[in-house]
Amino acid sequence: MPIYAAYASNMDPAQMLERAPHSPMYSTGWLCGWRLTFAGDDIGWEGSLATVVEDDDPDAKVFVVLYDVPDEDTANLDRWEGTELGVHRKIRARVETVEGPVLAWLYVIDGYEGGLPSARYLGVMADAAEVAGAPADYIERLRLHEARNVGPGPEEPLEDQS
């Protein structure tokens, strides 16, 4: 069965159960030589979306959750990730796990790097990483990443809806 590496909100097994109900969690690991970044602008989640890019820094790595994904769930995940719309494309990469290296496929944004994710999206990613067992310093970096605020700021009162 093909192994899928999730590094954003799909790290949460509960979310994956909704999107790919036949795809059990396999393991966790690291994409070594890669870094987490954000790409596109306003594709979804009120800001840029997470993606990964190769990095020359020998310490660069991205925490991932691995799932066994049968064909029946792959098509559904492709729809969720917008592959038919050209939002994401699939690539293969080596993931380092405690059991040894695993070849996995993952989605990357097919667009420019840059832009800011929403604070809400970063919160969802950090929560998913925490549920999946990511190290505390990795989760903290997600929570402290620069973000665009969504909704009115403290000086902007909500309009009266009455």
Side-chain angles (χ1 to χ4, degrees):
M1 208 175 292
I3 302 296
Y4 162 56
Y7 55 84
S9 63
N10 282 346
M11 288 187 289
D12 184 346
Q15 177 172 296
M16 274 296 289
L17 185 61
E18 291 176 20
R19 294 180 177 186
H22 309 98
S23 302
M25 185 174 163
Y26 171 78
S27 186
T28 61
W30 294 94
L31 281 171
C32 296
W34 295 74
R35 68 180 162 80
L36 181 70
T37 188
F38 296 87
D41 193 28
D42 289 327
I43 297 172
W45 289 92
E46 302 95 23
S48 297
L49 296 177
T51 193
V52 293
V53 294
E54 289 186 271
D55 196 304
D56 293 333
D57 180 351
D59 294 329
K61 61 184 178 179
V62 179
F63 181 80
V64 296
V65 177
L66 301 173
Y67 296 93
D68 281 318
V69 181
D71 290 341
E72 62 190 307
D73 282 349
T74 300
N76 198 38
L77 273 178
D78 285 351
R79 280 190 296 280
W80 271 102
E81 299 299 331
T83 55
E84 73 278 357
L85 302 174
V87 175
H88 284 98
R89 63 186 170 88
K90 288 174 160 176
I91 63 169
R92 290 190 173 272
R94 184 177 315 281
V95 176
E96 298 300 327
T97 72
V98 294
E99 296 88 19
V102 172
L103 186 61
W105 59 272
L106 56 143
Y107 297 102
V108 294
I109 298 284
D110 200 15
Y112 67 92
E113 181 180 350
L116 289 176
S118 69
R120 180 173 76 95
Y121 182 50
L122 284 170
V124 167
M125 286 179 57
D127 290 348
E130 189 170 27
V131 166
D137 63 328
Y138 190 85
I139 296 163
E140 181 179 14
R141 281 197 313 274
L142 286 173
R143 293 199 191 284
L144 296 177
H145 191 282
E146 185 179 5
R148 70 168 56 175
N149 289 327
V150 177
E155 67 285 343
E156 303 173 60
L158 289 171
E159 292 182 29
D160 185 13
Q161 300 294 317
S162 52

